[in-house]
Amino acid sequence: MKFLTLLAVFSLCVISVPHAFAQTGSSFQVHSMVSDGKKSKEVKSKLAFDSESFALNSNKAGVLSKSFNYADITAADYSHSKKPLLSTGGAVAMAILTGLIVLPFLFMKKKSHWLSVRTDDDYVVMKLDGDNYRQILAEFEVKNVNVTTVEEEEKKKGK
């Protein structure tokens, strides 16, 4: 009986361990910038990494679907921007309606993370979430895509 139990456990391990350590492609939720006439709009998309390429598929059917081979990428630029959490008008309206002191909110800033990827004949601009942008940048670095960080002009002049 012990032999059969050991054989069953060993067989289960032999079958399940390769599946547990198998490399599967990873995917992340991002916002893609899509042209809409003269303006651009954000569209929720899924960024999926594979061994040779990555794909960007919109959650809406037929809006955006692009695929890029890592070998074809000519440039990948990462940047971030800061904007106030509340506008001055929004802070005044909030103070009047709620009676709250909103002065601290005027000095708080919200960061947006951006990644643009270009090939010779196509490009994509993505707005990354604050909680996954480091993972996405690391995925590109692991795939041997050099991601250049673009700094603000004021910081460049100060250095």
Side-chain angles (χ1 to χ4, degrees):
M1 186 68 175
K2 288 182 182 181
F3 177 73
L4 289 176
T5 304
L6 287 173
L7 183 63
V9 169
F10 178 74
S11 300
L12 191 63
C13 288
V14 167
I15 292 170
S16 63
V17 168
H19 294 292
F21 289 109
Q23 278 287 62
T24 59
S26 53
S27 62
F28 302 94
Q29 288 292 332
V30 297
H31 289 89
S32 307
M33 302 307 289
V34 178
S35 294
D36 186 23
K38 292 183 179 180
K39 295 183 178 183
S40 60
K41 64 180 181 178
E42 292 182 20
V43 176
K44 281 189 177 182
S45 303
K46 179 181 173 186
L47 174 64
F49 290 95
D50 202 0
S51 61
E52 299 294 323
S53 64
F54 74 93
L56 193 65
N57 297 309
S58 172
N59 293 347
K60 292 181 180 178
V63 175
L64 176 73
S65 181
K66 292 187 177 190
S67 181
F68 296 90
N69 288 328
Y70 300 122
D72 296 339
I73 295 174
T74 57
D77 297 325
Y78 163 76
S79 64
H80 65 274
S81 61
K82 295 179 186 178
K83 68 177 187 173
L85 193 59
L86 287 176
S87 66
T88 307
V92 170
M94 187 175 180
I96 292 171
L97 294 175
T98 62
L100 297 175
I101 299 173
V102 293
L103 187 60
F105 292 110
L106 289 174
F107 298 106
M108 295 175 69
K109 301 208 183 241
K110 181 180 176 185
K111 261 189 179 179
S112 297
H113 303 274
W114 300 92
L115 180 66
S116 66
V117 178
R118 294 184 304 273
T119 62
D120 287 333
D121 57 350
D122 203 2
Y123 71 96
V124 65
V125 178
M126 297 171 275
K127 181 179 177 185
L128 311 177
D129 290 338
D131 58 346
N132 68 7
Y133 76 95
R134 287 187 177 104
Q135 291 172 304
I136 293 172
L137 296 177
E139 282 282 345
F140 278 105
E141 294 288 336
V142 166
K143 306 297 186 190
N144 293 324
V145 175
N146 184 25
V147 179
T148 305
T149 302
V150 178
E151 296 290 332
E152 295 178 26
E153 291 297 321
E154 296 170 6
K155 289 183 181 179
K156 284 183 180 179
K157 292 177 183 177
K159 288 184 180 178

